[in-house]
Amino acid sequence: MAAAATATTAPAPTTTPGGAPGTGNGGAPGQGLRPGLGRATRRVRRTAAVVAVLAAGAVVLAALNSGTRHGRLDPRSADPAGSRAVAELLKERGVTTRVVTTAREAADAAGPGTTLLVTDPDRLGATQRSAIRSAIDLSGGRTVLLAPGDRSLADLSPGVGTEGDAADDDLDPRCALPAATSAGRAGTGGNLRYTTALPGATACYPSGGHPTLLALPTGTTGGDTVLLGSETILLNESLAEQGNASLALQLLGSRPDLVWYLPSLADADPATGDGDQDKSLLELVPAGWSWALLQLFLAAVLAALWRARRLGPLVTEQLPVAVRASEATEGRARLYRKAGARDRAATVLRAATRERLAALVGVPPAQAHEPAALVPAVSARLTGEPRDVTALLFGTTPSDDAALVAVADHLDALEREVRTS
């Protein structure tokens, strides 16, 4: 079988990496690939190190940015929905702003020289509303309730009710409250309006006959409560519009200390539910981490482009070992003989012969393995005694090694006759 395979000119690789089976160079399998594997490992390690450094930088940047981003109406936040601008203006006027997150802290901090701002009264539970109500009655300072609804008004400001939303955003004061008349037109509309029959109440910025700002005296001398139907005048994005800044500074800066109460989850009323439950997973991710993920993605894309294979002309690679085609063919024949693969050897011999004959007789390469196209063209080139070309080129598997050698000899003879005809 080895002699038969060697006698033919079946396609065989002219070069092969060192140490491949059957090359006869005595090397261990895969020995010639070790330098390439080493380079690939080093490239992977360098890429991993770069990605790790970029990821660490993105995390650090996100951590630094997260400290400057807070929630809505937070006096530490520079976001459009934050209130840092009004807090800075108050600071320039000597007003100290203190942020608290529990009703107990807010009540303890309230006093004659303080303004207590409650940013979300409707979120408070019964215990928290009771603590704030005590502060309103006993502190002697000012309490500003931001957009309180009927749920919180019953405890924090009895005798006051809501009358739906105001149709306009910017309204005129139309009252005698000094802060309102000094500020003029302001963005107090667009949210709640109020109604009350309490004596001493000052109604300002009416919309449809109902005020959006209501000032009420408290039982303690010098104290008052201000109900503000909209949060617009406190937001960074709208502070510079109309008389918003003037009204905000006068309402919150009448005392030297400002207690800014941002209710936490611990102070929330379980019956009202948590607004975060309606938010998606992406909305719950802090803004700083969203930017970090985006930066990490961009870094990964840049790293992939940096390490990607460059497009360009093919470059001849210097292989470790060059092996003659005859040696490779003989090695393959020995493998076939050792495995008893007469079917595979015959198939390779016949396929190679069909391809060469197709080129000689003008049959397209795509039809080289189709008996209907190849056999008639080959038969037309034969001048000797008739023979079964179909059986020779597309026959069955030889029964033994002698039959395989005979098939190889007949294929060689057929190709020589066609080539010389």
Side-chain angles (χ1 to χ4, degrees):
M1 184 187 304
T6 306
T8 64
T9 58
T14 58
T15 59
T16 181
T23 59
N25 62 356
Q31 184 177 1
L33 298 179
R34 288 180 181 176
L37 290 176
R39 289 192 296 270
T41 302
R42 288 192 295 271
R43 285 197 298 268
V44 170
R45 290 177 178 175
R46 286 196 297 267
T47 303
V50 171
V51 171
V53 171
L54 293 175
V59 171
V60 171
L61 183 60
L64 294 176
N65 289 338
S66 63
T68 61
R69 301 180 68 90
H70 301 278
R72 187 176 183 83
L73 290 171
D74 195 312
R76 299 162 297 185
S77 175
D79 295 340
S83 299
R84 183 175 177 179
V86 67
E88 290 296 326
L89 292 176
L90 288 170
K91 182 179 179 181
E92 292 177 359
R93 287 158 177 78
V95 178
T96 302
T97 301
R98 174 186 175 188
V99 178
V100 297
T101 57
T102 65
R104 178 50 54 194
E105 289 179 317
D108 292 342
T114 63
T115 299
L116 173 59
L117 171 64
V118 183
T119 59
D120 195 356
D122 288 348
R123 188 177 187 179
L124 303 180
T127 303
Q128 288 73 28
R129 291 195 298 268
S130 176
I132 297 300
R133 181 59 193 179
S134 298
I136 293 174
D137 294 336
L138 303 176
S139 68
R142 168 171 287 178
T143 302
V144 179
L145 303 178
L146 195 57
D150 290 329
R151 182 181 188 85
S152 59
L153 286 174
D155 293 329
L156 300 180
S157 188
V160 180
T162 60
E163 284 291 338
D165 294 343
D168 300 321
D169 292 337
D170 298 326
L171 302 171
D172 295 318
R174 298 180 185 177
C175 67
L177 186 68
T181 57
S182 175
R185 189 174 179 85
T188 61
N191 201 347
L192 294 176
R193 300 178 299 166
Y194 300 102
T195 179
T196 184
L198 295 175
T202 303
C204 298
Y205 296 99
S207 174
H210 297 283
T212 57
L213 187 152
L214 197 60
L216 305 169
T218 59
T220 305
T221 303
D224 63 356
T225 301
V226 177
L227 278 61
L228 188 58
S230 174
E231 61 189 22
T232 304
I233 67 170
L234 301 181
L235 299 179
N236 294 330
E237 60 183 355
S238 54
L239 185 65
E241 299 174 0
Q242 303 292 336
N244 293 348
S246 176
L247 183 59
L249 293 177
Q250 293 183 77
L251 291 179
L252 302 182
S254 61
R255 273 78 172 171
D257 295 316
L258 171 61
V259 179
W260 200 297
Y261 176 28
L262 297 170
S264 61
L265 291 177
D267 278 6
D269 188 351
T272 63
D274 184 8
D276 289 344
Q277 292 179 353
D278 297 331
K279 295 182 179 180
S280 65
L281 178 60
L282 293 179
E283 292 174 333
L284 292 175
V285 176
W289 289 104
S290 300
W291 281 107
L293 292 176
L294 177 60
Q295 293 169 4
L296 185 59
F297 173 76
L298 294 177
V301 172
L302 293 177
L305 294 176
W306 171 50
R307 300 303 301 173
R309 185 182 298 276
R310 270 53 170 180
L311 300 178
L314 296 178
V315 179
T316 304
E317 182 180 1
Q318 185 69 26
L319 296 179
V321 178
V323 181
R324 292 193 298 273
S326 59
E327 293 183 5
T329 303
E330 183 178 355
R332 180 178 295 182
R334 289 175 178 173
L335 291 175
Y336 285 155
R337 181 175 184 179
K338 183 177 181 180
R342 286 186 294 273
D343 54 344
R344 176 61 181 165
T347 299
V348 171
L349 293 172
R350 284 168 170 161
T353 303
R354 289 196 297 267
E355 292 174 358
R356 291 191 295 271
L357 289 175
L360 293 174
V361 299
V363 174
Q367 300 178 352
H369 305 290
E370 298 180 5
L374 182 63
V375 171
V378 172
S379 300
R381 300 287 292 271
L382 299 179
T383 57
E385 57 184 22
R387 69 190 70 180
D388 191 353
V389 178
T390 303
L392 182 58
L393 294 178
F394 300 93
T396 58
T397 302
S399 57
D400 51 27
D401 289 351
L404 178 61
V405 173
V407 169
D409 292 340
H410 292 319
L411 290 173
D412 284 343
L414 177 64
E415 184 176 348
R416 283 194 302 269
E417 185 174 352
V418 172
R419 191 181 298 274
T420 57
S421 63

